[in-house]
Amino acid sequence: MLKESFLSYLECGLCGKRYDPDRLWNLCLECGKPLLARYDLEAAKKVVRPQDLVNREPTLWRYRELLPVRNDAHKLSLGEGFTPLLRASRLEKEVGHAPIFIKDEGLNPTGSFKARGLCLAVSRALELDVKSLSIPSAGNAACALSAYAALAGLEAHVYLPSDVPKPFVNECRVLGARVHLVDGLITDCGQAARADLEKYGRFDVSTLKEPYRIEGKKTMGYEIAEQMDWKLPDVIIYPTGGGTGLVGMWKAFDEMEKLGWIGSRRPRLVTVQSDGCAPMVKAFHEGREFAEPWPEARTIADGLRVPAAVGDFLILRVLRESQGTAVAVPDREIVEATYLLGKTTGVWTAPEGGATLAALLHLKKSGWVRAGESVILFNTGSGAKYSHVWD
Ligand SMILES: *Cc1c(COP(=O)(O)O)cnc(C)c1O
């Protein structure tokens, strides 16, 4: 029988303590930091090569050997992943830089790349016999959890700020989730969700507080490599909240090098945040290992309204190892850039996606991005649920 997953153990991202991968875990019991999935890449290397992927299904499950789900029956799919990498030729002319690519994650189920992470988290929860799931969310993660829980037949409890735009709440309800509205920010939602976890025996799938959402998001790194014929770009600009996508892609690059699929050259990774909530940008430029919570976080880009991230040290480590940087942009520039992207590319991005173009304009002006360097802008979600921003 073909081995379906080469998952071998879980490891704390800070202290390195190892855990049995076939039991349920949240954070490291020693230091409270995120656990990361490790694979037997030596063995995987012998059975899967890049050319074997060509005829596989156009979803993230095409990388199944490097994903944690062991049994086919538990691999949930709504068609997530393998999103297009678009060449933005008219945008290139408009801003005077080429080549620019857009990775359009807005085409995922429920309209954002959160589908990748929750697809894996719910699949694995199903495999490990969880019955009820819980998540605090600014919106998109709640929608994605609702969808995969519906597909799996599991109970989903989503905790959203009471001022979350209506389309997010409607979507969760239609998809069968129990919606809990909480006065305050996502951090307050986290607190409310935590209080109910033990009481009702639910499993917490908050960002980086369980080991598998990042495994779903790392597939963006595999896809970029595959779509660019196993040559990575010079620069990737990524709108960062909890940072799972950024940390996940970096993890994918390391795995692919160990598999012999790519060489040692890496893109420079850039975090972009709104100047109304920029804890990672501040910590990066101050040279810190951990970030301080951002007071009174405010931005129209809801996915970036994350005042404190559990994986802060992982994000900062990746930015430094990749010789990347971090940029804060005002909301006004985010909206302007979203309109510019829209009219030159045909992609209606979430404001988070627009933020990446705003950052590119700054980095080009300062000379950090040099002429001719290939740049990927990550559009992490569709603009369709953000009517309040475009009204
Ligand atoms: C959640 C979210 C982000 C932030 O993603 P992280 O990987 O947690 O940093 C960015 N954009 C959108 C649209 C989101 O929903």
Side-chain angles (χ1 to χ4, degrees):
M1 203 186 91
L2 283 179
K3 194 161 170 178
E4 285 288 317
S5 168
F6 286 85
L7 178 63
S8 90
Y9 59 95
L10 301 177
E11 181 182 48
C12 174
L14 190 66
C15 76
K17 187 178 160 66
R18 292 188 179 193
Y19 291 83
D20 175 357
D22 293 307
R23 289 182 54 195
L24 271 183
W25 302 105
N26 285 113
L27 295 169
C28 176
L29 302 176
E30 299 289 323
C31 67
K33 296 299 179 193
L35 301 183
L36 301 171
R38 301 295 182 206
Y39 297 80
D40 184 352
L41 298 171
E42 277 305 309
K45 188 177 179 169
K46 298 196 186 95
V47 300
V48 54
R49 301 156 307 166
Q51 60 267 38
D52 300 329
L53 302 173
V54 177
N55 293 319
R56 288 189 179 182
E57 68 213 287
T59 72
L60 54 67
W61 293 110
R62 65 200 281 109
Y63 310 108
R64 57 180 178 258
E65 288 88 351
L66 296 318
L67 291 173
V69 183
R70 302 207 187 268
N71 186 329
D72 268 348
H74 303 136
K75 289 174 190 158
L76 303 170
S77 184
L78 292 166
E80 55 294 315
F82 222 59
T83 56
L85 184 68
L86 307 165
R87 179 79 188 257
S89 319
R90 290 194 57 237
L91 177 65
E92 291 172 358
K93 292 202 185 77
E94 186 76 27
V95 304
H97 182 90
I100 300 174
F101 298 88
I102 298 171
K103 181 68 171 160
D104 189 11
E105 291 292 303
L107 294 175
N108 277 300
T110 70
S112 87
F113 73 155
K114 292 291 195 302
R116 293 181 188 261
L118 273 312
C119 171
L120 264 293
V122 179
S123 293
R124 199 61 181 138
L126 179 67
E127 188 151 83
L128 299 177
D129 219 20
V130 171
K131 303 289 180 227
S132 177
L133 297 155
S134 164
I135 202 167
S137 166
N140 281 322
C143 296
L145 172 63
S146 304
Y148 288 95
L151 179 62
L154 303 182
E155 200 175 271
H157 291 266
V158 306
Y159 292 76
L160 296 158
S162 52
D163 63 353
V164 69
K166 205 65 203 297
F168 294 97
V169 177
N170 292 344
E171 186 170 1
C172 293
R173 290 207 169 119
V174 171
L175 296 173
R178 315 285 171 83
V179 177
H180 307 258
L181 295 175
V182 179
D183 284 327
L185 295 181
I186 185 166
T187 30
D188 302 294
C189 295
Q191 229 163 27
R194 257 194 312 281
D196 289 345
L197 283 176
E198 272 192 41
K199 200 156 124 198
Y200 300 107
R202 297 174 192 154
F203 185 64
D204 183 9
V205 290
S206 307
T207 302
L208 285 172
K209 288 191 183 168
E210 61 75 55
Y212 301 119
R213 280 176 67 180
I214 182 173
E215 293 304 292
K217 287 218 185 150
K218 84 176 179 192
T219 57
M220 298 188 294
Y222 280 90
E223 278 175 32
I224 289 173
E226 189 177 355
Q227 290 172 322
M228 300 187 92
D229 204 16
W230 310 102
K231 290 182 278 292
L232 298 174
D234 295 308
V235 174
I236 295 177
I237 307 185
Y238 184 87
T240 305
T244 20
L246 196 82
V247 176
M249 283 193 280
W250 194 248
K251 183 173 187 286
F253 299 152
D254 277 348
E255 291 173 359
M256 284 188 284
E257 185 178 354
K258 294 199 178 95
L259 289 164
W261 295 5
I262 60 168
S264 58
R265 210 184 67 82
R266 293 285 185 277
R268 303 188 325 271
L269 301 192
V270 179
T271 270
V272 53
Q273 298 193 302
S274 161
D275 68 2
C277 179
M280 292 304 140
V281 182
K282 182 166 183 278
F284 176 79
H285 291 290
E286 287 175 353
R288 294 184 195 275
E289 186 186 4
F290 298 95
E292 289 166 4
W294 191 270
E296 290 168 56
R298 290 184 52 175
T299 168
I300 51 154
D302 297 306
L304 308 185
R305 201 167 57 156
V306 181
V310 249
D312 54 357
F313 66 105
L314 296 172
I315 300 171
L316 294 163
R317 208 187 271 170
V318 166
L319 294 178
R320 293 194 179 108
E321 282 178 13
S322 78
Q323 299 178 16
T325 190
V327 183
V329 292
D331 277 5
R332 180 180 39 76
E333 289 182 22
I334 291 179
V335 176
E336 280 170 14
T338 308
Y339 277 91
L340 180 58
L341 260 171
K343 72 178 182 194
T344 55
T345 66
V347 181
W348 185 13
T349 71
E352 291 85 342
T356 63
L357 174 58
L360 173 61
L361 298 178
H362 282 281
L363 293 171
K364 199 176 106 54
K365 202 165 164 192
S366 70
W368 194 89
V369 169
R370 296 180 291 269
E373 288 190 314
S374 54
V375 178
I376 294 184
L377 304 180
F378 252 90
N379 175 39
T380 44
S382 154
K385 278 181 252 181
Y386 297 75
S387 310
H388 56 292
V389 175
W390 325 122
D391 273 344

